[in-house]
Amino acid sequence: MTGKSAPPAKKPAPAAAKKKAAPAPKEEAAPKEEAAPKEEAAPAAEEAPAPGQPLAPTDEPTPIPTEAGAEATPAPAEGSPAPPAESPTPEPKQDKPKEEPPSCPLSLAVEEVSENSFTLIWKAPEQTGRAGLDGYMVEICKDGSSDWKAVNQEPFLSTRYTIPNLSSGDKIHVRVVAVSASGASVPATLEQPVLIREILQLPKIRMPRHLRETYIRRVGDAVNIMIPFQGKPQPEVSWTKGGQPLDTSRINIRTTARDTIFYIRQAQRGDSGKYELTVQINGAEDKATLDIQVVEPPGPPQNLKLVDVWGFNVALEWTPPADNGNSEIKGYRVQKSDKKSGKWFTVLERCTRTSCTISDLIIGNTYSFRVFSENICGLSDSAAVASGVAYIEKTKTTYQPEKIPQRDMMEPPKFTQPLTDRTTTRGYSTHLFCSVRGFPQPKIIWLKNQMEIREDPKYIALIDQGVCSLEIRKPGPFDGGVYTCKAVNPLGEASVDCRLDVKGEI
């Protein structure tokens, strides 16, 4: 063995040279030639160990070039272990640390406790690992015991869990463990055991919005009201009116674990008032007031009188009704009836006063009057009728026309708007305008260059409300000149003129 191993001792030298160059990030396929002087010293260091003793490279792995791998095989034959002769590439996989389990669940707390169960809540752990969480396991242990038992058979991902079927009065220790493919986390444990008992909930009345104001019903209607409340344990519910117990012969009360029902089959005005509801638990209580008002239509007004009749007008007065129907009077409705027709017509609605004046009556007719009361239920069943009637007499009047001094309306012609000079284009119609006043209405005469324009189809003259216009249709070069408008009436005359220039086409 030693005779055969001597010649190849010069070729492992590149491995020694490569060992010195280990800090380089990548291995080279073959050693460089300039490292040859150092390779000669390497065999001397390697021949020192005795046969059967491991070589120095066994302390740390030595990378071996691929071209020398076949000649380096005798080294393991002398007793050196196989791993140092392997390539360093698989070694990190063998030494890779095992993946850590998830961290501990956070913020474990009790959300709710009842007489036979309680509910836990927590937050997910900060670190769940690459594989992610499989879920959580909940374990419990009675106070004074060390026997922990899992509550759930399989892991679950919810961060809320209710532990049922517990005995009232027990003290339970609880902890939660996060589980993944890498293992289980450190358990999150409650510092204090949970006492299984019913937590008291203060009594609270949930008065509906429509019952916070006066609840109005008509006489004979049913009253059926449900008012919810809350509280643990079951609160005591009581109803009173004016500090006295209710009359159970008229009012029925039915109470459940969550609400109380107030029922009256047929309401009467005597049922109106304020009812007090009290919900109490061991000295703690909540109160609410239910205000009920039972109403009916009012009675008719009293003492309706026909106070005065003059011209086309009548004055009436009355007093409020003796019975307002247990509700405020909103107004009065006044009606009239003509003796000829016998029909009633409404004159005023919702009259808030106890007097009124009725106008625009017809001369020669005889009228009767009546008044209704009105409250929240509507009009009274009957009306108050005035004892007397009103006859609208004819009054003799002599018409004397007012003497109006006559005014002299005569006026000579006067132009309020003169003519203005204009320039127009050949072949395009144009208009001349002016305005005049006078009485009698003056006669209008148009002139061109002091020559009167008579019936010529080229010219159209019009006058409307004192505005005089002259249309010159498609003027030519010879239509230019001075145009005059003259107004004449028996009191005089007046005139205005302007110049018209006609240019050739552009």
Side-chain angles (χ1 to χ4, degrees), residues 313-345:
N313 310 304
V314 171
L316 299 175
E317 287 184 357
W318 61 90
T319 57
D323 182 12
N324 64 358
N326 199 29
S327 178
E328 180 184 0
I329 298 296
K330 292 184 174 297
Y332 302 91
R333 180 175 294 184
V334 182
Q335 295 182 341
K336 68 178 180 179
S337 174
D338 185 357
K339 188 176 181 180
K340 293 180 180 180
S341 65
K343 296 181 179 180
W344 290 97
F345 298 93

mmCIF file of all heavy atoms in Angstrom, residues 313-345:
data_model
loop_
_atom_site.group_PDB
_atom_site.id
_atom_site.type_symbol
_atom_site.label_atom_id
_atom_site.label_comp_id
_atom_site.label_asym_id
_atom_site.label_seq_id
_atom_site.Cartn_x
_atom_site.Cartn_y
_atom_site.Cartn_z
ATOM 1 N N ASN A 313 -122.138 91.283 5.933
ATOM 2 C CA ASN A 313 -121.320 90.636 6.957
ATOM 3 C C ASN A 313 -122.159 90.192 8.147
ATOM 4 O O ASN A 313 -123.208 90.783 8.455
ATOM 5 C CB ASN A 313 -120.226 91.589 7.444
ATOM 6 C CG ASN A 313 -119.454 92.205 6.295
ATOM 7 O OD1 ASN A 313 -118.905 91.483 5.466
ATOM 8 N ND2 ASN A 313 -119.428 93.524 6.221
ATOM 9 N N VAL A 314 -121.620 89.152 8.850
ATOM 10 C CA VAL A 314 -122.245 88.628 10.062
ATOM 11 C C VAL A 314 -121.138 88.340 11.074
ATOM 12 O O VAL A 314 -120.084 87.816 10.708
ATOM 13 C CB VAL A 314 -123.040 87.335 9.770
ATOM 14 C CG1 VAL A 314 -123.492 86.675 11.071
ATOM 15 C CG2 VAL A 314 -124.236 87.627 8.901
ATOM 16 N N ALA A 315 -121.371 88.650 12.362
ATOM 17 C CA ALA A 315 -120.416 88.380 13.446
ATOM 18 C C ALA A 315 -120.998 87.312 14.364
ATOM 19 O O ALA A 315 -122.156 87.394 14.767
ATOM 20 C CB ALA A 315 -120.107 89.650 14.224
ATOM 21 N N LEU A 316 -120.154 86.297 14.689
ATOM 22 C CA LEU A 316 -120.550 85.198 15.567
ATOM 23 C C LEU A 316 -119.620 85.116 16.761
ATOM 24 O O LEU A 316 -118.431 85.449 16.663
ATOM 25 C CB LEU A 316 -120.504 83.864 14.813
ATOM 26 C CG LEU A 316 -121.413 83.711 13.587
ATOM 27 C CD1 LEU A 316 -121.141 82.373 12.917
ATOM 28 C CD2 LEU A 316 -122.870 83.831 13.977
ATOM 29 N N GLU A 317 -120.143 84.618 17.904
ATOM 30 C CA GLU A 317 -119.346 84.366 19.112
ATOM 31 C C GLU A 317 -119.834 83.086 19.764
ATOM 32 O O GLU A 317 -121.011 82.725 19.652
ATOM 33 C CB GLU A 317 -119.468 85.532 20.107
ATOM 34 C CG GLU A 317 -118.730 86.787 19.699
ATOM 35 C CD GLU A 317 -118.819 87.864 20.772
ATOM 36 O OE1 GLU A 317 -119.514 87.619 21.791
ATOM 37 O OE2 GLU A 317 -118.221 88.930 20.599
ATOM 38 N N TRP A 318 -118.906 82.376 20.487
ATOM 39 C CA TRP A 318 -119.266 81.175 21.230
ATOM 40 C C TRP A 318 -118.231 80.924 22.315
ATOM 41 O O TRP A 318 -117.234 81.646 22.417
ATOM 42 C CB TRP A 318 -119.347 79.960 20.290
ATOM 43 C CG TRP A 318 -118.050 79.630 19.597
ATOM 44 C CD1 TRP A 318 -117.083 78.795 20.038
ATOM 45 C CD2 TRP A 318 -117.565 80.163 18.357
ATOM 46 N NE1 TRP A 318 -116.024 78.763 19.161
ATOM 47 C CE2 TRP A 318 -116.308 79.586 18.100
ATOM 48 C CE3 TRP A 318 -118.099 81.065 17.415
ATOM 49 C CZ2 TRP A 318 -115.558 79.881 16.980
ATOM 50 C CZ3 TRP A 318 -117.358 81.343 16.297
ATOM 51 C CH2 TRP A 318 -116.098 80.761 16.077
ATOM 52 N N THR A 319 -118.450 79.890 23.134
ATOM 53 C CA THR A 319 -117.525 79.524 24.202
ATOM 54 C C THR A 319 -117.053 78.086 23.975
ATOM 55 O O THR A 319 -117.715 77.302 23.275
ATOM 56 C CB THR A 319 -118.193 79.642 25.583
ATOM 57 O OG1 THR A 319 -119.355 78.812 25.610
ATOM 58 C CG2 THR A 319 -118.577 81.088 25.867
ATOM 59 N N PRO A 320 -115.893 77.707 24.554
ATOM 60 C CA PRO A 320 -115.363 76.349 24.341
ATOM 61 C C PRO A 320 -116.328 75.284 24.854
ATOM 62 O O PRO A 320 -117.188 75.548 25.702
ATOM 63 C CB PRO A 320 -114.060 76.352 25.137
ATOM 64 C CG PRO A 320 -113.674 77.787 25.242
ATOM 65 C CD PRO A 320 -114.953 78.548 25.329
ATOM 66 N N PRO A 321 -116.165 74.042 24.368
ATOM 67 C CA PRO A 321 -117.063 72.968 24.816
ATOM 68 C C PRO A 321 -116.803 72.586 26.272
ATOM 69 O O PRO A 321 -115.709 72.797 26.805
ATOM 70 C CB PRO A 321 -116.718 71.815 23.869
ATOM 71 C CG PRO A 321 -115.332 72.088 23.410
ATOM 72 C CD PRO A 321 -115.204 73.579 23.348
ATOM 73 N N ALA A 322 -117.826 72.022 26.904
ATOM 74 C CA ALA A 322 -117.677 71.590 28.288
ATOM 75 C C ALA A 322 -116.753 70.381 28.389
ATOM 76 O O ALA A 322 -116.038 70.209 29.381
ATOM 77 C CB ALA A 322 -119.054 71.265 28.875
ATOM 78 N N ASP A 323 -116.726 69.510 27.360
ATOM 79 C CA ASP A 323 -115.880 68.320 27.350
ATOM 80 C C ASP A 323 -114.961 68.389 26.133
ATOM 81 O O ASP A 323 -115.438 68.408 24.997
ATOM 82 C CB ASP A 323 -116.753 67.059 27.291
ATOM 83 C CG ASP A 323 -115.921 65.780 27.324
ATOM 84 O OD1 ASP A 323 -114.706 65.880 27.613
ATOM 85 O OD2 ASP A 323 -116.476 64.702 27.050
ATOM 86 N N ASN A 324 -113.658 68.426 26.392
ATOM 87 C CA ASN A 324 -112.709 68.510 25.273
ATOM 88 C C ASN A 324 -112.258 67.137 24.776
ATOM 89 O O ASN A 324 -111.362 67.047 23.929
ATOM 90 C CB ASN A 324 -111.488 69.343 25.666
ATOM 91 C CG ASN A 324 -110.687 68.706 26.798
ATOM 92 O OD1 ASN A 324 -111.056 67.649 27.322
ATOM 93 N ND2 ASN A 324 -109.605 69.356 27.188
ATOM 94 N N GLY A 325 -112.856 66.041 25.299
ATOM 95 C CA GLY A 325 -112.497 64.698 24.858
ATOM 96 C C GLY A 325 -111.146 64.234 25.359
ATOM 97 O O GLY A 325 -110.528 63.357 24.755
ATOM 98 N N ASN A 326 -110.682 64.813 26.464
ATOM 99 C CA ASN A 326 -109.379 64.473 27.058
ATOM 100 C C ASN A 326 -108.226 64.825 26.126
ATOM 101 O O ASN A 326 -107.180 64.194 26.137
ATOM 102 C CB ASN A 326 -109.314 62.990 27.429
ATOM 103 C CG ASN A 326 -108.208 62.707 28.445
ATOM 104 O OD1 ASN A 326 -107.861 63.571 29.258
ATOM 105 N ND2 ASN A 326 -107.642 61.511 28.400
ATOM 106 N N SER A 327 -108.437 65.846 25.287
ATOM 107 C CA SER A 327 -107.390 66.305 24.375
ATOM 108 C C SER A 327 -107.589 67.790 24.099
ATOM 109 O O SER A 327 -108.704 68.308 24.190
ATOM 110 C CB SER A 327 -107.438 65.507 23.068
ATOM 111 O OG SER A 327 -106.461 65.967 22.164
ATOM 112 N N GLU A 328 -106.523 68.439 23.757
ATOM 113 C CA GLU A 328 -106.567 69.878 23.487
ATOM 114 C C GLU A 328 -107.418 70.175 22.253
ATOM 115 O O GLU A 328 -107.342 69.470 21.237
ATOM 116 C CB GLU A 328 -105.147 70.389 23.269
ATOM 117 C CG GLU A 328 -105.063 71.878 22.979
ATOM 118 C CD GLU A 328 -103.653 72.319 22.672
ATOM 119 O OE1 GLU A 328 -102.748 71.454 22.684
ATOM 120 O OE2 GLU A 328 -103.452 73.521 22.399
ATOM 121 N N ILE A 329 -108.218 71.231 22.328
ATOM 122 C CA ILE A 329 -109.024 71.667 21.189
ATOM 123 C C ILE A 329 -108.113 72.341 20.176
ATOM 124 O O ILE A 329 -107.424 73.314 20.485
ATOM 125 C CB ILE A 329 -110.144 72.633 21.634
ATOM 126 C CG1 ILE A 329 -111.098 71.931 22.600
ATOM 127 C CG2 ILE A 329 -110.903 73.164 20.423
ATOM 128 C CD1 ILE A 329 -111.857 70.782 21.984
ATOM 129 N N LYS A 330 -108.101 71.796 18.960
ATOM 130 C CA LYS A 330 -107.218 72.340 17.924
ATOM 131 C C LYS A 330 -107.863 73.484 17.152
ATOM 132 O O LYS A 330 -107.164 74.254 16.494
ATOM 133 C CB LYS A 330 -106.815 71.225 16.955
ATOM 134 C CG LYS A 330 -105.911 70.174 17.583
ATOM 135 C CD LYS A 330 -105.472 69.166 16.556
ATOM 136 C CE LYS A 330 -104.452 68.199 17.149
ATOM 137 N NZ LYS A 330 -103.202 68.865 17.571
ATOM 138 N N GLY A 331 -109.184 73.593 17.172
ATOM 139 C CA GLY A 331 -109.851 74.665 16.448
ATOM 140 C C GLY A 331 -111.351 74.385 16.306
ATOM 141 O O GLY A 331 -111.879 73.423 16.876
ATOM 142 N N TYR A 332 -111.993 75.244 15.523
ATOM 143 C CA TYR A 332 -113.437 75.143 15.304
ATOM 144 C C TYR A 332 -113.714 75.246 13.805
ATOM 145 O O TYR A 332 -112.997 75.944 13.074
ATOM 146 C CB TYR A 332 -114.181 76.251 16.048
ATOM 147 C CG TYR A 332 -113.930 76.247 17.550
ATOM 148 C CD1 TYR A 332 -112.892 76.994 18.106
ATOM 149 C CD2 TYR A 332 -114.729 75.489 18.394
ATOM 150 C CE1 TYR A 332 -112.658 76.985 19.470
ATOM 151 C CE2 TYR A 332 -114.505 75.478 19.767
ATOM 152 C CZ TYR A 332 -113.460 76.220 20.301
ATOM 153 O OH TYR A 332 -113.235 76.214 21.651
ATOM 154 N N ARG A 333 -114.775 74.548 13.379
ATOM 155 C CA ARG A 333 -115.208 74.613 11.985
ATOM 156 C C ARG A 333 -116.555 75.325 11.936
ATOM 157 O O ARG A 333 -117.524 74.894 12.582
ATOM 158 C CB ARG A 333 -115.334 73.214 11.390
ATOM 159 C CG ARG A 333 -115.784 73.220 9.939
ATOM 160 C CD ARG A 333 -115.776 71.833 9.347
ATOM 161 N NE ARG A 333 -114.406 71.317 9.276
ATOM 162 C CZ ARG A 333 -114.096 70.152 8.727
ATOM 163 N NH1 ARG A 333 -115.057 69.372 8.211
ATOM 164 N NH2 ARG A 333 -112.837 69.748 8.701
ATOM 165 N N VAL A 334 -116.605 76.411 11.152
ATOM 166 C CA VAL A 334 -117.812 77.256 11.045
ATOM 167 C C VAL A 334 -118.463 76.991 9.692
ATOM 168 O O VAL A 334 -117.779 77.016 8.657
ATOM 169 C CB VAL A 334 -117.450 78.743 11.197
ATOM 170 C CG1 VAL A 334 -118.709 79.612 11.137
ATOM 171 C CG2 VAL A 334 -116.690 78.980 12.502
ATOM 172 N N GLN A 335 -119.781 76.782 9.708
ATOM 173 C CA GLN A 335 -120.531 76.513 8.482
ATOM 174 C C GLN A 335 -121.745 77.433 8.391
ATOM 175 O O GLN A 335 -122.273 77.890 9.411
ATOM 176 C CB GLN A 335 -120.986 75.050 8.436
ATOM 177 C CG GLN A 335 -119.846 74.058 8.346
ATOM 178 C CD GLN A 335 -120.336 72.623 8.264
ATOM 179 O OE1 GLN A 335 -121.483 72.316 8.621
ATOM 180 N NE2 GLN A 335 -119.483 71.729 7.768
ATOM 181 N N LYS A 336 -122.200 77.678 7.152
ATOM 182 C CA LYS A 336 -123.390 78.488 6.897
ATOM 183 C C LYS A 336 -124.345 77.702 6.012
ATOM 184 O O LYS A 336 -123.945 76.789 5.288
ATOM 185 C CB LYS A 336 -123.007 79.806 6.224
ATOM 186 C CG LYS A 336 -122.488 79.637 4.798
ATOM 187 C CD LYS A 336 -122.164 80.969 4.143
ATOM 188 C CE LYS A 336 -121.654 80.756 2.705
ATOM 189 N NZ LYS A 336 -121.351 82.029 2.032
ATOM 190 N N SER A 337 -125.627 78.084 6.102
ATOM 191 C CA SER A 337 -126.651 77.430 5.286
ATOM 192 C C SER A 337 -127.612 78.487 4.765
ATOM 193 O O SER A 337 -128.128 79.314 5.548
ATOM 194 C CB SER A 337 -127.411 76.382 6.112
ATOM 195 O OG SER A 337 -128.488 75.849 5.367
ATOM 196 N N ASP A 338 -127.841 78.470 3.446
ATOM 197 C CA ASP A 338 -128.803 79.384 2.822
ATOM 198 C C ASP A 338 -130.187 78.756 2.934
ATOM 199 O O ASP A 338 -130.384 77.568 2.648
ATOM 200 C CB ASP A 338 -128.421 79.604 1.357
ATOM 201 C CG ASP A 338 -129.303 80.640 0.679
ATOM 202 O OD1 ASP A 338 -130.232 81.140 1.342
ATOM 203 O OD2 ASP A 338 -129.055 80.925 -0.500
ATOM 204 N N LYS A 339 -131.137 79.557 3.346
ATOM 205 C CA LYS A 339 -132.495 79.042 3.537
ATOM 206 C C LYS A 339 -133.079 78.496 2.245
ATOM 207 O O LYS A 339 -133.880 77.545 2.263
ATOM 208 C CB LYS A 339 -133.375 80.150 4.104
ATOM 209 C CG LYS A 339 -134.757 79.668 4.532
ATOM 210 C CD LYS A 339 -135.542 80.798 5.170
ATOM 211 C CE LYS A 339 -136.916 80.297 5.621
ATOM 212 N NZ LYS A 339 -137.715 81.391 6.254
ATOM 213 N N LYS A 340 -132.686 79.046 1.110
ATOM 214 C CA LYS A 340 -133.234 78.590 -0.165
ATOM 215 C C LYS A 340 -132.749 77.170 -0.510
ATOM 216 O O LYS A 340 -133.526 76.335 -0.948
ATOM 217 C CB LYS A 340 -132.829 79.563 -1.280
ATOM 218 C CG LYS A 340 -133.462 80.932 -1.150
ATOM 219 C CD LYS A 340 -133.015 81.838 -2.295
ATOM 220 C CE LYS A 340 -133.655 83.229 -2.165
ATOM 221 N NZ LYS A 340 -133.224 84.131 -3.269
ATOM 222 N N SER A 341 -131.475 76.894 -0.312
ATOM 223 C CA SER A 341 -130.931 75.573 -0.671
ATOM 224 C C SER A 341 -130.997 74.582 0.484
ATOM 225 O O SER A 341 -131.151 73.378 0.273
ATOM 226 C CB SER A 341 -129.488 75.719 -1.145
ATOM 227 O OG SER A 341 -128.668 76.180 -0.081
ATOM 228 N N GLY A 342 -130.811 75.045 1.719
ATOM 229 C CA GLY A 342 -130.822 74.185 2.887
ATOM 230 C C GLY A 342 -129.547 73.378 3.063
ATOM 231 O O GLY A 342 -129.476 72.503 3.931
ATOM 232 N N LYS A 343 -128.534 73.623 2.270
ATOM 233 C CA LYS A 343 -127.279 72.890 2.362
ATOM 234 C C LYS A 343 -126.265 73.671 3.198
ATOM 235 O O LYS A 343 -126.253 74.902 3.178
ATOM 236 C CB LYS A 343 -126.700 72.626 0.965
ATOM 237 C CG LYS A 343 -127.582 71.737 0.108
ATOM 238 C CD LYS A 343 -126.945 71.506 -1.253
ATOM 239 C CE LYS A 343 -127.800 70.601 -2.118
ATOM 240 N NZ LYS A 343 -127.177 70.363 -3.453
ATOM 241 N N TRP A 344 -125.411 72.899 3.897
ATOM 242 C CA TRP A 344 -124.383 73.511 4.739
ATOM 243 C C TRP A 344 -123.061 73.581 3.982
ATOM 244 O O TRP A 344 -122.653 72.615 3.347
ATOM 245 C CB TRP A 344 -124.191 72.712 6.027
ATOM 246 C CG TRP A 344 -125.363 72.815 6.976
ATOM 247 C CD1 TRP A 344 -126.370 71.927 7.099
ATOM 248 C CD2 TRP A 344 -125.603 73.868 7.883
ATOM 249 N NE1 TRP A 344 -127.264 72.352 8.038
ATOM 250 C CE2 TRP A 344 -126.814 73.563 8.553
ATOM 251 C CE3 TRP A 344 -124.963 75.052 8.211
ATOM 252 C CZ2 TRP A 344 -127.369 74.373 9.513
ATOM 253 C CZ3 TRP A 344 -125.517 75.866 9.173
ATOM 254 C CH2 TRP A 344 -126.704 75.539 9.824
ATOM 255 N N PHE A 345 -122.416 74.731 4.093
ATOM 256 C CA PHE A 345 -121.128 74.962 3.440
ATOM 257 C C PHE A 345 -120.133 75.467 4.489
ATOM 258 O O PHE A 345 -120.477 76.316 5.327
ATOM 259 C CB PHE A 345 -121.242 75.990 2.311
ATOM 260 C CG PHE A 345 -122.155 75.558 1.197
ATOM 261 C CD1 PHE A 345 -123.497 75.915 1.198
ATOM 262 C CD2 PHE A 345 -121.664 74.785 0.147
ATOM 263 C CE1 PHE A 345 -124.329 75.509 0.174
ATOM 264 C CE2 PHE A 345 -122.503 74.392 -0.880
ATOM 265 C CZ PHE A 345 -123.840 74.750 -0.871
#
